[in-house]
Amino acid sequence: MLGWALTFLIVALVAAALGFTGVAGAASSIAQILFVIFLVLFVIAMVARAVRGRPPL
């Protein structure tokens, strides 16, 4: 998931550099959404690991 967010971030940066503002805006929005989803899933995984008795990373 983090890989997809980084991919869309790179697409957004390249599109912005070339002047494709619509594509850059869409790609950056997708990258932000994927990054937030990744963070939420990461926190859930760490909480689940702590509840099971194992210390978080």
Side-chain angles (χ1 to χ4, degrees):
M1 178 98 42
L2 188 57
W4 281 105
L6 291 174
T7 301
F8 278 106
L9 176 64
I10 292 170
V11 168
L13 291 174
V14 170
L18 296 176
F20 300 116
T21 57
V23 174
S28 67
S29 296
I30 293 170
Q32 287 175 349
I33 291 168
L34 288 175
F35 186 71
V36 169
I37 291 171
F38 168 78
L39 285 179
V40 168
L41 291 175
F42 179 74
V43 169
I44 290 171
M46 290 297 105
V47 169
R49 185 177 171 97
V51 167
R52 282 191 231 138
R54 295 184 221 148
L57 299 172

